[in-house]
């Protein structure tokens, strides 16, 4: 049968077996080569070459699988464009292994393979591959990659091809797995050697800063491309200790970046996070997303980090004795190394060793520093003990001196050597020892110090001088905390006590000065205040006290003598009343006031006392008061000495000295200033009252200095002239007042009389009544404004002239008509007689109206006019006035009345309203000399009734709208248009309306007539 089978094989079968045998031979030959290679990177080209010799294809690729993150990448390829490698890798990124690789993966038509993603199929389409055969590379229980065969046409794969690729894949997987295992072992061995060398480096020196820097350099490039070491500073900040890279330029770049971008203590990762959490940090792959996240606050840093090509990193904390000392960072870049958990374990081991080395170095430093400090302290103690200005001694438990410094030896009057071994009684005597030993015993028994015991006495160094000390006793202990003796510290505080006493005396003096200042400032009655100072000075600083001031007629006036002893009051009164100092005396108050200098009489002898008295009685007064030492100080202020204070000690044990005199001088200066301030205040008060009067007086007041410049211009002067003080003060009077020469003469005249002058000031002519008076520094002028009075006088004069004219005219007409009627030589017809009688009647009526106006003004000014407000018919009043006027107005005047149908009553005095309307109608007729229409209108205007009298006459210029209502004012005072009148009608109308709660105004442009409007409130 076997023979028959052989005989039946075809030539194709022979070729098939021959190909299979050749493949097996190639695989067998290649296995020795591949399995003998210990470098994965080196064997990858050999695997592709063997694949090409084993199974024919258009392209080949060996994909590697990363178990750390599950990613795939093309490790080696042949016949494929780079674009396919890039696109295919991107297409499967993040998808993991979605198909089983237990059997070869056959794809006979790639476009129809639904399990491929669209992006993956598109990558195949761009590369021109239509079919592929993929076999998994399995090493043990893990997939280390795939071996892929690509074809540019659809294809059906034979079992032989599948078997061949499967055998080749197994061989490649075994070779790659073996090489990876070897590389891992090699790397672990290298890491162990690195750790060993690092440990040796760390143990080589206690200067950990240099050691850590050497460690960073040792790690590059064996364990990392970058190594940085950061330490926690004493203030808690993070400082960069070292950074290493094979390229020095990159080291400089890293230093620059660290300085420009200091670490954020609250960062979520990196060195701050590792130090804060004490947890190591591993980034097996530094992705671009991670770089973007890390540089979100500094986007300009992203490009720099990308250029550095950072691939993987680890950061581990340096922890020793539960304290974080810093962190070590390892970064791979150029080498492409990807850190994993085994690398992290090496880093942690290295960090633990480094932290221990740093901690030991720091402990050594601290120990050395403490030793040096102790040695220095001992040296300082020895030096201090020898040179200390205070007395120091060490006594044993038997009260014997063990050690004494020179200061205490000097106090005791023995040398330091003579103290050693001797007891307190032997050195100080029984009496002093009996006082001191109880304190020693108490310190020895209780172990507590006794501090600052005051002591006073005489020392051997200065036996005649009383000294003050503060003594303290301290327990002295050995290394076992047992009390072995007593330390004694004796501080000489004599000078301090003296200074304290002096300070208390000075403080008392300052207190007296302060109280004196308060008393002096509290009243303006300085004489009483100076006398009351005795309450502060006697008896604390003087046994008796006297105050003298210059008298107005010459000599001195003694205003107070106060003695501490009430029984001496009679003698003090005699000294005050009978024996005031004389100006010619050589000593005491007279000398001080004459020279302005204080005098200290440290000791007053009998001869000096006798020479200073005015007679036996005066001598007896001083003797009774007592006078052993004295001080006399001047009262001087503003360069003028006006009196003196005298302080006297009657106790020979209390003589005054220079310090006492300084105190008395201060007191005298303050008293003098207070007196002068009181005088100045009185003067200022007097001037203030004068200034107040000037400010509020109704007359203008001007002060002009001797140079003719204005120095004062009071508010009344501003009101009268309309010129503000700031515009007048400081300017020459001649520039402000046009007629200054005539005014100036009043200030130089010896006669005080008022002069009325027309003065032009501020472009106005004023009539002023001026009075001037001169003094040493200039002249003062007071003036009163008589401009209005002058205008009124002028108006009165014009009124008299006008009234005379107005009265003469009707009187002349009446008189002429009457004479004509009386003439017997002239025969008059009835028309002539009637005409003459009408002239008499009309002119009489005119005369009555003039008199009536004068009477109205008189009643208004004398306040004799009474108004009775009641409800009135305003239309009826207007109609009656119009009807009455029609009887006497010229024929050229057309008088009309315009009223509405219904008008409410007005609240007014009917007679006064009728007078107002009569005046307005007469005024309209009078100022229409050429005739025309005069219209009287009545209408309501809100809560008022309005009367309007409109004419077509001369009109009123706008500038005269207010003045026409003034008394005696006329628009045509010179009768140029023949318009006469008293100038009282509008004034009377305005006054009457105001008394009835009404108002009046004129509307006129100055030509083409006028409209006078009068308004009164409606009734009810």
């Amino acid at each position: 049968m076997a023979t028959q089978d052989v005989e039946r094989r075809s030539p194709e079968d022979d070729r098939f077996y021959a190909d299979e045998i050749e493949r097996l031979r190639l695989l067998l030959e290649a296995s020795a080569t591949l399995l003998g290679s210990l470098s994965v990177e080196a064997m990858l080209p050999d695997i592709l070459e063997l694949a090409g010799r084993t199974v024919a294809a258009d392209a080949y690729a060996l994909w590697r699988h990363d178990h750390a993150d599950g990613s795939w990448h093309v490790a080696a390829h042949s016949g494929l464009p780079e674009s396919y490698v890039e696109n295919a890798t991107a297409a499967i990124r993040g998808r993991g292994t979605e198909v089983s690789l237990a059997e070869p993966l056959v794809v006979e038509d790639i476009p129809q393979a639904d399990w491929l993603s669209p992006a993956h199929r598109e990558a195949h389409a761009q590369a021109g591959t239509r079919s592929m055969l993929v076999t998994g590379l399995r090493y043990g229980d893990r997939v280390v990659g795939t071996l892929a065969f690509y074809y540019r046409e659809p294809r059906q794969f034979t079992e032989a091809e599948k078997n061949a690729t499967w055998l080749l894949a197994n061989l490649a997987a075994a070779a790659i797995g073996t090489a990876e295992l070897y590389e891992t072992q090699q790397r672990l061995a290298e890491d162990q050697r690195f750790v060993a060398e690092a440990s040796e480096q760390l143990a080589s020196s206690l200067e950990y800063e240099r050691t850590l820097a050497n460690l960073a350099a040792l790690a590059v490039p064996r364990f990392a491309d970058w190594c940085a070491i950061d330490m926690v500073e004493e203030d808690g900040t993070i400082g960069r200790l070292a950074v290493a890279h094979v390229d020095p330029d990159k080291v400089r770049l890293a230093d620059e970046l660290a300085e420009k971008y200091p670490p954020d203590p609250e960062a979520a990762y990196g060195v701050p996070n590792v130090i804060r959490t004490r947890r190591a940090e591993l980034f097996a792959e530094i992705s671009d997303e991670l770089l973007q996240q890390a540089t979100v606050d500094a986007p300009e840093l992203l490009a720099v980090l990308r250029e550095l090509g950072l691939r993987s990193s680890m950061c581990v904390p340096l922890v020793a004795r539960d304290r974080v000392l810093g962190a070590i960072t390892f970064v791979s870049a150029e080498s492409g190394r990807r850190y994993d958990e085994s690398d992290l374990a090496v880093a942690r081991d290295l960090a633990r060793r480094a932290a221990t080395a740093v901690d030991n170095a720091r402990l050594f430093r601290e120990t050395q520093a403490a030793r040096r400090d102790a040695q220095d302290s001992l040296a300082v103690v020895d030096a201090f003990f020898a040179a200390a200005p205070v007395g120091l001694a060490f006594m044993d438990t038997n009260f014997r001196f063990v050690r004494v410094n020179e200061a205490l030896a000097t106090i005791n009057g023995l040398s330091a050597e003579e103290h050693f071994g001797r007891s307190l009684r032997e050195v100080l005597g029984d009496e002093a020892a009996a006082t001191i030993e109880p304190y020693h015993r108490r310190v020895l028994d209780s172990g507590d110090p006794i501090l600052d015991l005051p002591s006073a006495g005489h020392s051997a160094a200065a036996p005649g001088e009383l000294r003050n000390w503060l003594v303290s006793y301290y327990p002295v202990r050995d290394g076992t905390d047992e009390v072995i003796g007593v330390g004694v510290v004796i501080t000489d505080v004599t000078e301090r006590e003296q200074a304290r006493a002096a300070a208390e005396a000075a403080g008392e003096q300052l207190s007296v000065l302060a109280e004196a200042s308060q008393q002096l400032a509290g009243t303006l009655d300085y004489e009483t205040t100076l006398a009351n100072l005795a309450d502060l000075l006697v008896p604390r600083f003087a046994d008796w006290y006297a105050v003298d001031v210059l008298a107005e007629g010459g000599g001195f006036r003694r205003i107070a003598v106060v003695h501490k002893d009430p029984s001496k009051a009679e003698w003090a009164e005699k000294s005050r009343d009978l024996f005031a100092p004389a100006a010619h005396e050589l000593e005491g108050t007279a000398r001080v006031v004459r020279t302005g200098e204080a005098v200290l009489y440290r000791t007053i002898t009998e001869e000096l006392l006798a020479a200073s008295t005015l007679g036996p009685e005066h001598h007896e007064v001083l003797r009774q008061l007592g006078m052993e030492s004295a001080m006399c100080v001047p009262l001087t202020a503003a360069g003028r000495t006006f009196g003196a204070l005298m302080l006297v000690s009657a106790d020979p044990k209390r003589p005054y000295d220079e310090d006492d005199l300084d105190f008395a001088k201060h007191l005298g200066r303050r008293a003098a200033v207070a007196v002068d301030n009181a005088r100045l205040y009185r003067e200022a008060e007097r001037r203030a009252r004068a200034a107040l009067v000037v400010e509020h007086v109704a007359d203008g007041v001007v002060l002009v200095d001797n140079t003719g410049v204005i120095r004062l211009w009071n508010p009344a002067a501003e009101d009268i002239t309309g010129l503000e003080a700031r515009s007048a003060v400081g300017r020459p009077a001649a520039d402000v007042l046009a007629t200054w020469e005539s005014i100036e003469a009043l200030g130089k005249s010896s006669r005080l009389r008022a002069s009325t002058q027309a003065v032009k000031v501020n472009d106005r002519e004023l009539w002023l009544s001026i009075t001037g008076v001169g003094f040493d520094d200039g002249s003062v002028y007071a003036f009163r404004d008589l401009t209005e009075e002058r205008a009124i006088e002028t108006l009165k004069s014009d009124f008299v002239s006008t009234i005379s004219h107005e009265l003469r005219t009707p009187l002349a007409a009446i008189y002429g008509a009457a004479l004509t009627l009386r003439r017997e030589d002239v025969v008059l017809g009835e028309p002539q007689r009637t005409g003459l009688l009408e002239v008499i009647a009309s002119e009489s009526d005119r005369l009555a109206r003039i008199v009536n106006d004068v009477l109205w003004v008189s009643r208004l000014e004398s306040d004799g006019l009474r108004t009775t407000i009641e409800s009135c018919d305003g239309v009826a009043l207007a109609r009656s006035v119009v009807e009455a006027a029609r009887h006497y107005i010229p024929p050229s005047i057309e008088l009309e009345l315009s009223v509405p149908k219904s008008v409410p009553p007005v609240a007014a005095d009917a007679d006064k309203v009728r007078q107002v309307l009569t005046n307005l109608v007469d005024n309209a007729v009078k100022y229409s000399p050429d005739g025309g229409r005069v219209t009287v209108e009545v209408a309501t205007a809100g809560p008022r009734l309005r009367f309007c009298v409109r004419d077509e006459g001369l009109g009123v210029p706008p500038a005269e709208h207010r003045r026409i209502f003034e008394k005696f004012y006329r628009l045509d005072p010179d009768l140029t248009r023949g318009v006469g009148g008293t100038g009282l009608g509008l004034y009377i109308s305005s006054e009457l309306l105001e008394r009835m709660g009404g108002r009046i105004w004129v509307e006129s442009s100055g030509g083409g007539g006028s409209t006078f409007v009068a308004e009164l409130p409606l009734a009810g």
Side-chain angles (χ1 to χ4, degrees), residues 580-864:
H584 63 273
E585 291 182 9
L586 299 179
E587 297 296 336
T589 298
R591 172 184 169 179
V592 167
V593 172
R594 191 165 51 247
T595 63
E597 299 290 336
V599 178
L600 170 63
Y601 300 99
R602 194 181 304 270
T603 302
I604 299 179
T605 63
E606 185 61 31
E607 292 77 9
L608 178 60
L609 185 62
S612 303
T613 57
L614 301 177
E617 187 179 1
H618 187 199
H619 184 274
E620 180 61 19
V621 169
L622 294 181
R623 193 182 66 80
Q624 289 293 335
L625 292 174
M627 207 168 190
E628 296 294 335
S629 182
M631 300 180 292
C632 192
V633 294
L635 295 174
T636 302
R640 171 177 168 267
T641 301
F642 55 86
L645 303 180
M646 179 173 286
L647 284 75
V648 182
S649 170
D651 185 356
K653 295 181 179 179
R654 191 174 72 170
Y656 292 126
D657 56 18
E658 296 296 336
D659 291 337
D660 297 319
L661 184 63
D662 285 340
F663 163 71
K665 287 179 180 179
H666 282 293
L667 181 66
R669 280 193 291 268
R670 296 189 185 206
V673 169
V675 171
D676 194 56
N677 286 343
R679 181 184 61 82
L680 292 175
Y681 179 83
R682 290 175 180 174
E683 179 66 20
E685 190 178 42
R686 185 186 63 79
R687 292 187 179 184
R689 287 196 296 269
L692 189 64
V693 171
V694 170
E695 284 290 314
H696 294 86
V697 72
D699 291 348
V701 178
V702 178
L703 172 63
V704 181
D705 64 18
N706 290 327
T707 63
V709 175
I710 296 174
R711 297 303 178 188
L712 173 66
W713 190 272
N714 77 332
E718 291 181 325
D719 294 339
I720 292 171
T721 63
L723 185 66
E724 294 184 356
R726 62 183 179 181
S727 300
V729 174
R731 293 176 57 191
D735 295 347
V736 178
L737 304 170
T739 58
W740 170 242
E741 291 184 0
S742 61
I743 297 173
E744 184 181 22
L746 297 175
K748 296 180 179 180
S749 174
S750 59
R751 296 177 59 190
L752 187 63
R753 59 182 179 84
S755 173
T756 302
Q757 299 183 17
V759 179
K760 190 171 184 181
V761 57
N762 201 21
D763 295 330
R764 294 172 56 200
E765 185 178 70
L766 302 173
W767 283 87
L768 304 178
S769 175
I770 308 173
T771 304
V773 60
F775 65 103
D776 293 342
D777 296 327
S779 301
V780 177
Y781 301 89
F783 55 85
R784 183 170 298 173
D785 186 9
L786 301 180
T787 304
E788 291 187 4
E789 287 83 347
R790 184 82 176 186
I792 292 174
E793 289 298 325
T794 301
L795 287 174
K796 287 181 178 179
S797 176
D798 292 344
F799 171 72
V800 171
S801 175
T802 300
I803 287 294
S804 299
H805 178 270
E806 291 295 321
L807 292 175
R808 256 196 322 267
T809 300
L811 285 175
I814 292 171
Y815 182 71
L819 289 178
T820 302
L821 288 172
R822 289 181 59 190
R823 289 181 62 177
E824 297 178 356
D825 58 334
V826 177
V827 179
L828 300 174
E830 190 60 29
Q832 291 174 316
R833 288 180 60 84
T834 301
L836 289 174
L837 290 174
E838 287 179 353
V839 167
I840 292 172
S842 63
E843 292 301 322
S844 296
D845 184 63
R846 177 182 175 187
L847 184 62
R849 287 199 301 274
I850 294 172
V851 174
N852 192 47
D853 284 347
V854 175
L855 291 175
W856 274 112
V857 171
S858 175
R859 293 166 64 192
L860 287 171
E861 290 189 344
S862 64
D863 201 23

Side-chain angles (χ1 to χ4, degrees), residues 87 113 170 431 484 518 571 606 614 749 786 791 805 843 877 939:
N87 294 336
N170 286 340
E431 183 179 354
I484 60 174
Q518 186 175 3
W571 298 102
E606 185 61 31
L614 301 177
S749 174
L786 301 180
H805 178 270
E843 292 301 322
L877 291 173

